Amino acid sequence: MDNIEDKYNAALAHIEELKLEVTRLRSLLDENTTSTNEQKTTYSTALVSESKETTVGETNVHQYSTVEDKLALYKSCFRGRDDVYPIRWSNKQGKSGYSPACANEWTSVCEKPRVKCSVCKHQNFMPLTSEVLSAHLDARQDRTIGIYPML
């Protein structure tokens, strides 16, 4: 638990540093730009063309792209935690949901259904890998996963 809290606090500190950097860069931009409309228009046009090139370059994935490129595109669209992921389950009564994927689930150390996963002493959550994403995207496999968003 402390590890996650440390990462969260580090992320908050990094966000504050980035906010300060944005403020500094904006002040530099205000100092360096002149008041003429022509120069401001030229600068904003350059920014727009740069952003269009970046967007086009990032989404240059097609049907003949490598699996790694396709997975990278998919990962860029759905961001969440990489250290754990939920897997979809359903029971005979029709109830379904998601629970963290555990390497010890239904093994000799697993005490399901007597002990809930949230209080189990043998938790061994599996990280989200390219193989897991490939299995999720493969229509021939019945393996649906989710993501835990980073708050």
Side-chain angles (χ1 to χ4, degrees):
M1 185 71 172
D2 290 341
N3 191 17
I4 293 172
E5 288 179 21
D6 293 343
K7 288 181 181 179
Y8 176 73
N9 290 331
L12 288 177
H14 186 66
I15 288 170
E16 290 304 317
E17 291 173 12
L18 292 174
K19 286 180 180 178
L20 291 173
E21 180 69 10
V22 166
T23 304
R24 185 184 70 80
L25 291 173
R26 283 186 178 155
S27 67
L28 282 175
L29 180 63
D30 291 340
E31 290 174 11
N32 292 335
T33 56
T34 61
S35 61
T36 62
N37 289 336
E38 181 181 333
Q39 288 179 341
K40 286 183 181 179
T41 304
T42 304
Y43 179 76
S44 62
T45 305
L47 285 177
V48 169
S49 65
E50 277 183 32
S51 65
K52 284 182 182 176
E53 290 173 7
T54 304
T55 304
V56 171
E58 289 175 355
T59 60
N60 197 12
V61 176
H62 47 79
Q63 67 181 1
Y64 302 113
S65 296
T66 64
V67 173
E68 292 80 17
D69 290 342
K70 292 176 184 178
L71 287 175
L73 175 63
Y74 188 81
K75 284 181 182 179
S76 71
C77 293
F78 301 97
R79 292 286 305 157
R81 291 179 59 179
D82 291 332
D83 60 329
V84 64
Y85 67 93
I87 190 163
R88 184 171 169 78
W89 56 265
S90 59
N91 63 15
K92 293 177 184 176
Q93 290 79 27
K95 186 176 178 182
S96 63
Y98 287 86
S99 60
C102 180
N104 290 332
E105 187 174 35
W106 302 116
T107 63
S108 60
V109 295
C110 181
E111 298 180 40
K112 268 185 167 180
R114 190 175 55 81
V115 176
K116 292 188 176 194
C117 294
S118 59
V119 294
C120 180
K121 296 176 185 175
H122 305 286
Q123 292 177 350
N124 186 11
F125 298 136
M126 298 189 302
L128 184 61
T129 62
S130 295
E131 291 79 20
V132 171
L133 280 178
S134 293
H136 169 72
L137 296 172
D138 188 355
R140 297 170 293 183
Q141 297 185 24
D142 187 26
R143 184 169 176 90
T144 304
I145 65 167
I147 58 170
Y148 288 123
M150 300 176 82
L151 301 176

